[in-house]
Amino acid sequence: MLHFLPLPRKADLNAPFPVAPFLSTVSFSTALYLSLLALPRVGILVAMFSGVPLVLAQLQFPTQLLGTGAMVTSGGLIFLLGSLLHNPIPGLQVLIYVGWCGLPALLTAEFLRRQVRVLPMVFATSFQILFFLGGVGFFLYMKTHGQIWTGIAQSIHGAVDVVMNTAIKNSHSTLSPADQARLISLEPLIYRTFLDLLPGLFASLALLTAITLWATSVGLLENRQISPGQPGIDRWVLPDHLVFALIASMALLLVPSFEMRVLGTNLLMVFGVLYVGQGTGVLLSYVRKRKLGGWFWLVSGIFILIQPMFLMILGLVGVIDIWADFRELRGKPTGGNGSGEKGRYVEKKMDDLSDGDGSHRDSFRTFSLCELIRGSRLLGAFRGSASLRGEIRPA
């Protein structure tokens, strides 16, 4: 396991190289990513976590650039093991690892160090994933004169054909030859629709990876009593007006046009992932309040790996949270600045009221009480901070 240490304030050039954290980072990151090669359907959700060890290593040992060195070493191991497993293009697997897991992890670590707001950090990290992998795809397309896309299209067409034949064979009722012919005639439409939905699938995967890297890293740091300098996913709130973009994307599905419906579906997948993150925050807040053990996360992870449709339930919970406010984080409309994290002013007040161990929950609850008593958020904040600073003492 990684040795969690307080984030260093000053660089120590004479410090010995942390061999044990380096080896554990390389082994964990490589093993998580190789699940994508062993079990592609389940491994794609497991491989998203392969950048988390790199984030923690880069944060704890920035002078030695431990996360960067671990990323390079893991890439070499992936190339070697991919060759031993007779992967057709092991070099491509290395590029996918670097662009999907490695570089986003280093970018997330730098954003956490600079205490960048969550929503800009998530968008920037996901854009980096799309830009890097899109550049790799464009380079391979030009290098192979379009043959790589032809091969991918043929593979997708073959997969659609297998799915259609399997659905016909496993049908509960016997289909007549006319019904079978009608289903087979839909195969070109399904193939075209899947190709048109690829941009939304890749964008939602990039967003989900960025949220996973940030939320898991912050959660692990908080469990070791290390303050990451920003709220975790259990206190993450999206801007309320973002729901109108989600509603607009759903409205496009009602337009009697194939192109508009495809556009609406792509946008719905992208905005839906954001509300999956908010729904996960609601679930995590409930789990911490009820003090459920690690078995809960084990069972939940197995359910999500077996049936990823459970992510839709989390997304629905995230949307309902706009009105239900399950975590009671939303105050009056004047309290936020539309950033989705209660504004820098509130974050600063939480830092002032902190008791020194990175715990802001009790302070935030007391701060909200002062606002309700005084009737004005701004006036209550200035008056409450002066009185509360004298009441809260380090343990």
Side-chain angles (χ1 to χ4, degrees):
M1 295 295 292
L2 289 171
H3 302 283
F4 290 89
L5 302 174
L7 300 182
R9 296 179 179 272
K10 296 182 180 180
D12 187 6
L13 298 179
N14 297 323
F17 185 77
V19 178
F22 175 77
L23 294 178
S24 61
T25 301
V26 171
S27 59
F28 275 117
S29 183
T30 304
L32 290 172
Y33 182 78
L34 287 178
S35 63
L36 181 64
L37 303 180
L39 300 170
R41 182 175 178 268
V42 176
I44 192 171
L45 296 176
V46 177
M48 289 191 298
F49 293 87
S50 61
V52 174
L54 303 180
V55 176
L56 300 177
Q58 190 76 1
L59 283 174
Q60 295 174 26
F61 303 96
T63 306
Q64 294 86 354
L65 296 177
L66 196 67
T68 306
M71 180 190 70
V72 175
T73 307
S74 298
L77 285 176
I78 291 171
F79 181 84
L80 177 62
L81 295 176
S83 302
L84 295 177
L85 294 174
H86 303 288
N87 189 274
I89 312 178
L92 181 60
Q93 293 296 332
V94 176
L95 291 176
I96 294 176
Y97 169 77
V98 171
W100 181 32
C101 306
L103 292 179
L106 301 181
L107 191 61
T108 301
E110 185 62 25
F111 282 147
L112 288 175
R113 184 174 302 280
R114 296 176 181 270
Q115 297 185 8
V116 177
R117 294 187 177 186
V118 176
L119 202 56
M121 175 176 62
V122 168
F123 282 141
T125 305
S126 58
F127 176 77
Q128 182 270 317
I129 297 174
L130 295 175
F131 182 80
F132 186 92
L133 295 183
V136 171
F138 180 76
F139 174 78
L140 293 177
Y141 179 84
M142 297 300 295
K143 199 71 175 178
T144 60
H145 303 287
Q147 294 181 0
I148 186 172
W149 174 250
T150 303
I152 294 175
Q154 290 177 354
S155 300
I156 295 175
H157 190 274
V160 172
D161 185 63
V162 170
V163 170
M164 293 293 296
N165 292 329
T166 304
I168 293 174
K169 292 180 180 179
N170 297 334
S171 177
H172 296 290
S173 59
T174 304
L175 297 177
S176 63
D179 293 335
Q180 294 183 11
R182 191 178 298 109
L183 287 176
I184 294 176
S185 64
L186 295 176
E187 184 175 325
L189 179 61
I190 297 175
Y191 168 71
R192 177 191 171 189
T193 303
F194 184 81
L195 292 182
D196 291 335
L197 294 180
L198 283 179
L201 289 173
F202 283 124
S204 58
L205 180 62
L207 275 174
L208 188 60
T209 303
I211 294 175
T212 300
L213 291 176
W214 156 70
T216 308
S217 302
V218 171
L220 291 175
L221 290 174
E222 288 180 342
N223 287 339
R224 298 303 189 275
Q225 284 76 46
I226 300 176
S227 176
Q230 61 176 230
I233 193 171
D234 60 328
R235 301 181 298 279
W236 183 41
V237 180
L238 287 169
D240 292 342
H241 57 265
L242 193 63
V243 71
F244 293 106
L246 182 69
I247 295 175
S249 61
M250 297 178 64
L252 291 177
L253 300 179
L254 303 177
V255 178
S257 172
F258 179 79
E259 290 76 12
M260 298 302 294
R261 289 179 177 178
V262 168
L263 176 61
T265 306
N266 284 316
L267 294 176
L268 184 62
M269 286 189 289
V270 172
F271 292 113
V273 167
L274 294 176
Y275 284 99
V276 167
Q278 183 162 291
T280 304
V282 173
L283 177 63
L284 180 58
S285 177
Y286 177 81
V287 169
R288 288 185 173 180
K289 186 179 298 183
R290 297 294 181 178
K291 297 182 179 180
L292 301 179
W295 61 268
F296 177 82
W297 293 114
L298 179 62
V299 174
S300 301
I302 292 176
F303 270 108
I304 292 176
L305 291 177
I306 295 176
Q307 184 53 262
M309 295 297 290
F310 280 100
L311 294 176
M312 295 182 61
I313 300 178
L314 292 176
L316 182 61
V317 172
V319 174
I320 298 176
D321 182 62
I322 299 174
W323 296 276
D325 194 12
F326 297 110
R327 296 165 290 178
E328 299 180 355
L329 293 179
R330 290 177 173 84
K332 297 180 180 180
T334 57
N337 62 351
S339 65
E341 296 144 34
K342 305 303 290 179
R344 288 191 179 273
Y345 175 74
V346 176
E347 292 176 0
K348 183 178 185 301
K349 300 308 297 180
M350 292 170 64
D351 292 337
D352 292 339
L353 297 175
S354 176
D355 57 359
D357 62 349
S359 176
H360 298 122
R361 188 168 301 175
D362 295 336
S363 303
F364 181 76
R365 198 174 291 134
T366 311
F367 178 60
S368 300
L369 180 60
C370 292
E371 293 172 349
L372 293 176
I373 293 175
R374 288 160 177 80
S376 171
R377 178 177 289 271
L378 184 60
L379 183 60
F382 279 110
R383 292 180 179 176
S385 60
S387 60
L388 291 173
R389 284 196 189 97
E391 296 174 5
I392 299 178
R393 303 292 185 187

